[in-house]
Amino acid sequence: MIHDPWYDAAASGWGEPAGADEPAAAGPRRAQPPQRPPAATDIYREVQRSAAFQEVRSRYRRFVVPAALAFLAWYLAYVVAATAAPGLMSRPVAGAVNVAMIAGLGQFLTTFVLTWAYVRHARLHRDRAALDLRWAVFDQERGRDRDRRSSRERGPESTREEAGR
């Protein structure tokens, strides 16, 4: 069975009543000026600037760029050899199978091996960090939505009062 890190983390807060994750107040609260919840674009920009996001992108590039260049070089070598060295490519290897057929089938094999390597690399080196980032964004958006709902529940009068402060 394949270990999938996307399903390891519990969805914190799902099925809990609203406000269950907030600590109970120790006493009466003072009226604090309302804070505008961050916009979705602010949340995503903050995540994009974070070190964790940059590390995920760096890990992605460290695998994809060399792998893509190696595959492109292998493919171009096959095409150039097929056009520039037809004598080499037509050399028989076993019966009717020649070098060109083996190199062509090698292209398909390389594609499958590269796909497997990419999926394995993503699962081992990036998926956990990407999942953590996704949950961080989800929690921030959920908090923003909760703040909006609570301001709507207070009604338009309290919103006007808060805006006038």
Side-chain angles (χ1 to χ4, degrees):
M1 180 167 190
I2 297 174
H3 172 69
D4 192 354
W6 290 100
Y7 295 99
D8 285 351
S12 63
W14 287 21
E16 296 174 5
D21 57 345
E22 298 173 4
R29 291 186 180 177
R30 286 192 216 169
Q32 296 178 354
Q35 293 180 343
R36 184 180 72 86
T41 55
D42 296 335
I43 293 171
Y44 285 102
R45 284 184 183 137
E46 179 183 335
V47 169
Q48 187 177 13
R49 286 188 291 262
S50 71
F53 182 81
Q54 295 303 321
E55 179 63 23
V56 169
R57 285 184 63 180
S58 173
R59 288 179 182 177
Y60 171 78
R61 288 180 180 151
R62 281 193 308 250
F63 179 85
V64 170
V65 170
L69 291 175
F71 185 78
L72 184 61
W74 162 230
Y75 175 74
L76 289 176
Y78 172 71
V79 172
V80 168
T83 57
L88 170 70
M89 298 300 270
S90 64
R91 183 171 290 148
V93 175
V97 178
N98 60 19
V99 172
M101 291 176 79
I102 290 179
L105 292 173
Q107 292 289 316
F108 287 103
L109 179 65
T110 304
T111 302
F112 292 120
V113 168
L114 192 57
T115 301
W116 169 81
Y118 174 80
V119 169
R120 183 176 185 276
H121 180 269
R123 183 172 32 91
L124 294 176
H125 299 286
R126 293 192 326 266
D127 285 353
R128 173 59 67 187
L131 180 63
D132 292 343
L133 284 169
R134 181 176 291 179
W135 280 118
V137 168
F138 175 76
D139 287 342
Q140 288 180 17
E141 285 183 335
R142 193 177 76 185
R144 179 178 57 103
D145 293 342
R146 186 183 313 128
D147 291 345
R148 280 188 182 158
R149 270 194 309 273
S150 66
S151 68
R152 270 188 262 144
E153 289 170 358
R154 286 186 295 221
E157 302 84 30
S158 63
T159 308
R160 273 189 232 118
E161 288 173 11
E162 291 171 357
R165 287 184 190 167

